[in-house]
Every structure is written in structure tokens, then in C-alpha cells.
Amino acid sequence: MVVDRKKSALWIAVGVVAALAAVLVVVLVSRDEDPPPPGTRAELAPLALSDRVWTADGVTLSLNRGSIALRDGRLLARTEEGIELLDVGSGKALWAQADQADLPGRTVALDLSASPRLPLLVGNGVLVGYNVFQCDLVEPGVALLSGDTGDVVWQTPTTPAEGCAQNRVGWKQELWAADDTTALVTVTPNDGSPADLAQVRVVALDVATGQRKWEHQGAWPYATAGGVALLSTTKPLPAGRFTGSGTVTALDLATGQPTWSVDDAHLVRTAGDFVVIVTTDKTVRVLDAATGREVARLPDADPESCVADTTLVACQAGTRLVTFRLNDKAVKTAPLDTGTTLLSVVEGRVSVENPRRNPPIVTMDRTGHVVDEKPPGELIAMTDDLLLVRVTRSEDDDFLAAYRLKA
């Protein structure tokens, strides 16, 4: 009887231990299956890249601030000689046009000085400014070049012709912005002051025909977004120098009529159908470009640091990363290493550089998580199957490279 009691106690003890073990297993499994708290996991996965597909030496890249444009499988780039249109898939040049050389079949020449940023990709063509560098009585203007051949589709004079010597010192035209419907060009006295707004005339051209649609005086065009032309009473370039007060105004692209304006503000950049501005109290605001309605404020953001694409705006606020995601209108902040500089945003991925790191460039998501420790360079653009990066060999030597994205 004693033996039976001892056996019963032993079996009871074994059963208790087994039950506790089972509970522990259930708890451990449950912990593994529970999702982590919000913000503890990167939003993006690292990019899986194959070997380099092609490189393009001699293409001028300037910190992704408008030295290349990508659209529909074609890449427009500034080169040492002029401009070049490349096939993105192969990196091969479709055509090239030298600066100050006559446009195909014309007696007017490409004038890159008339494009403060870069000639503009629109539809299946490239908008350029042209001039005469001979002693001809020709009116400088804007031309649309065919994306297939580089030939002139149309040319429209914007600036009075004044003869050979006077032509260079009389009037100046600048091609600032365009979408597929409208191009914005300024015509100003060549010896005038950018602050003298009475001398600034904005000419809106129909991209399909080159015909004038409307004109506006008293502001500088900056960009197009959301069906409006975004103008400022302070000249956009050099970018990032926000001194004094200004007024940001939106004009309907079709009619040139004002739709909204913000006083004591400067334009920073556009992001999809949104525009980022900074007010003179140093507040960085994101507005709906079509209506001017504020959709977000970026706390303590430095406007000169802001970069953007059509999905995300990213700025620095000291040692903080401040991001605004356009699709859900969500603002997030995250810590940054001291000495970090924002370079670019491509498809929601933020390229940052810190000289104290090795390698210095990494890719983050909008929450500050590093998703690519060793990207091949600064992210410039992405297609469905390619990543384009800026690779730096030295301070004044870099090149454009394309890498295949693995499925």
C-alpha cells in the first residue's frame, strides 16, 4: 500500500512537470508568433541585386538635384559636352546633342545656360532652350526634340532678337519647369536684378504645339504639380537660400489664373501632387498642390536638407530624420547618427551619407532603419527591374551605374 502511494505521488509529479513543460512550450511558441511592437521592424527589405548591368562615364551628376531625368525607359542626362538620351535597359545612347551646337536641321543651337536645372523630359520628347551663337538676327526660344531621333518637333521664340552683339546682353530666357501639357519659361532683362519682379515675365507654352497659352508677370516659376504652376516672388536658385520674405502662388496650368497663395513663404520642392514650403518662422509645411491645403508639418525640419520623390519627403532635424509618406499622409521621426547627410529618396528608400561610417553611404527606410548596409552607391532612380546609382571614385569623379534587381 505504501508502495502504491509512492508510485501515485511519482506519477502525479511527472504529470505536473509535463503539464508545466507543455504550457512553457505554448508560451514560447506564442511569443514567436506574436507580431513585434510597432516600429521595431524595418518597413523595407534589403534590395537583392545582380551584377552591374552597365555604366555611363562622363554623365554629370550633382547629388541627384536635377542632373538626370528618367521616364518610360529613357534617361536624360547632362554630359561634359551637352545632353544625352540613354536607353535605361542597356545604357546605350539613343542620341546626343552638344551644347552651343546647331540643333538638327536648324540654324539655332542648344543653350544649356537657358536651363537652370536640366532640359526637361515631357511625353516622348525633350524640351530645350536654344540661342544663336553667330551674328544672326534670330529670336532665342524653346524647342521640343523628338525622343526617338533628337530632331526638332517645333521651335518657338520667346525672346526679342537684337542682333549679334546685343542678343547676348539684352534679354535672357530660362526654361524652369514643365509637365506633359505646359512648359514654363521666364524672359528677363539680362542685366536686370532677380529681385525686380516687374522685369520677370513667365511665358507658358503648349507642349504639344509650342504655342503660347498665357503669360504672368511678377514671380519666378519653380515647378508644376497637381495641375498648377508653382511660382515664388524669390528666385528658386540657388536652392536652399531662404532669406527675407516671399510669396508662394499657384496658377492654374490651363488658364494662368491664381488658385491659392501663401505669404511669407519659400518653395522647397515638390513631391508627387504635393509641394513642400518653408515659412519665414522656419516651419516646413506640406501642402496639396492643387488646393494649397496643408496636409502636414515636419517638426524642426531643416528645409535645405529635404529630399523627396513621388512617395516620400525626408528632411533632417538636427540628429533626427523626419519623414512624410504621401500615400497615408503619415509623419514619422527617427534618430540619425551625428554627421549624417541626406542625399536622395528613391521609391521610399532614403540614401544617407556619413563619412565616419565604412562604407559611408547606407540606405534607410522612413523609420530610420538601415535596410542596405552596403549599397553600390547613392540611389538615383529605380525601374521595375533596375536600380540606378551614383558611384563616387573621388571628390570630383563619379559615374552612373545600373544594377539588375533580382525577383
Side-chain angles (χ1 to χ4, degrees):
M1 190 71 177
V2 174
V3 173
D4 289 340
R5 286 178 180 177
K6 287 183 177 180
K7 285 184 178 179
S8 298
L10 178 62
W11 283 113
I12 291 171
V14 170
V16 169
V17 171
L20 289 174
V23 170
L24 181 61
V25 168
V26 170
V27 169
L28 291 175
V29 170
S30 298
R31 283 180 180 175
D32 285 343
E33 291 178 348
D34 286 342
T40 61
R41 180 177 291 176
E43 294 187 339
L44 299 172
L47 291 174
L49 303 177
S50 67
D51 294 335
R52 188 185 297 169
V53 179
W54 56 260
T55 62
D57 281 297
V59 171
T60 303
L61 298 175
S62 178
L63 292 179
N64 199 20
R65 298 298 199 275
S67 56
I68 70 166
L70 178 66
R71 177 170 177 165
D72 299 332
R74 294 177 178 182
L75 173 72
L76 178 66
R78 191 186 293 267
T79 67
E80 295 172 356
E81 291 79 24
I83 58 172
E84 193 169 323
L85 193 66
L86 308 175
D87 174 75
V88 171
S90 65
K92 294 180 179 179
L94 301 174
W95 54 262
Q97 173 66 46
D99 191 24
Q100 299 191 16
D102 286 349
L103 299 178
R106 306 296 170 111
T107 58
V108 295
L110 174 66
D111 182 9
L112 284 180
S113 69
S115 302
R117 297 184 179 92
L118 181 74
L120 305 169
L121 272 177
V122 289
N124 189 36
V126 180
L127 282 171
V128 300
Y130 66 79
N131 206 332
V132 288
F133 299 97
Q134 311 284 328
C135 288
D136 296 327
L137 191 66
V138 176
E139 300 167 280
V142 172
L144 177 68
L145 307 184
S146 165
D148 297 322
T149 64
D151 293 335
V152 176
V153 178
W154 53 255
Q155 68 180 67
T156 297
T158 59
T159 311
E162 298 183 349
C164 180
Q166 293 179 331
N167 195 37
R168 301 195 184 189
V169 297
W171 295 88
K172 181 180 182 179
Q173 67 156 353
E174 293 177 286
L175 176 62
W176 286 97
D179 67 359
D180 286 351
T181 67
T182 311
L184 304 178
V185 186
T186 56
V187 178
T188 58
N190 211 15
D191 58 354
S193 166
D196 188 354
L197 296 175
Q199 298 181 337
V200 181
R201 180 163 52 94
V202 180
V203 179
L205 302 178
D206 186 298
V207 167
T209 64
Q211 295 181 345
R212 298 189 182 211
K213 297 174 66 172
W214 48 264
E215 294 187 10
H216 182 86
Q217 197 150 349
W220 293 90
Y222 179 84
T224 62
V228 300
L230 295 161
L231 279 63
S232 175
T233 55
T234 54
K235 194 172 183 179
L237 295 181
R241 297 183 183 176
F242 306 107
T243 58
S245 61
T247 298
V248 174
T249 301
L251 306 182
D252 184 278
L253 270 181
T255 65
Q257 295 301 308
T259 59
W260 57 265
S261 66
V262 179
D263 293 328
D264 299 323
H266 300 273
L267 287 159
V268 176
R269 60 179 54 251
T270 56
D273 289 334
F274 296 87
V275 57
V276 183
I277 68 169
V278 56
T279 50
T280 50
D281 62 0
K282 305 300 182 183
T283 302
V284 177
R285 302 166 58 192
V286 183
L287 311 180
D288 182 290
T291 64
R293 181 177 60 86
E294 181 178 303
V295 294
R297 295 195 176 202
L298 307 186
D300 302 319
D302 173 11
E304 296 186 32
S305 72
C306 294
V307 290
D309 68 355
T310 59
T311 64
L312 187 75
V313 179
C315 306
Q316 283 183 248
T319 56
R320 303 284 291 176
L321 172 69
V322 183
T323 60
F324 171 71
R325 190 164 64 184
L326 278 56
N327 60 351
D328 59 9
K329 299 184 177 61
V331 176
K332 281 188 175 290
T333 63
L336 283 175
D337 292 338
T338 303
T340 296
T341 301
L342 270 61
L343 298 178
S344 61
V345 172
V346 175
E347 297 295 329
R349 296 173 182 271
V350 185
S351 279
V352 304
E353 182 177 34
N354 189 330
R356 293 184 294 185
R357 296 184 62 132
N358 186 24
I361 294 178
V362 299
T363 304
M364 293 181 170
D365 67 10
R366 71 178 185 128
T367 66
H369 284 93
V370 174
V371 292
D372 285 302
E373 283 279 3
K374 296 181 179 181
E378 174 195 345
L379 273 58
I380 297 296
M382 287 178 65
T383 68
D384 290 340
D385 58 353
L386 287 178
L387 173 69
L388 275 66
V389 299
R390 174 181 186 247
V391 182
T392 302
R393 285 181 288 226
S394 64
E395 185 175 345
D396 56 355
D397 182 18
D398 57 41
F399 62 91
L400 183 67
Y403 290 80
R404 186 77 61 192
L405 294 168
K406 294 180 181 178

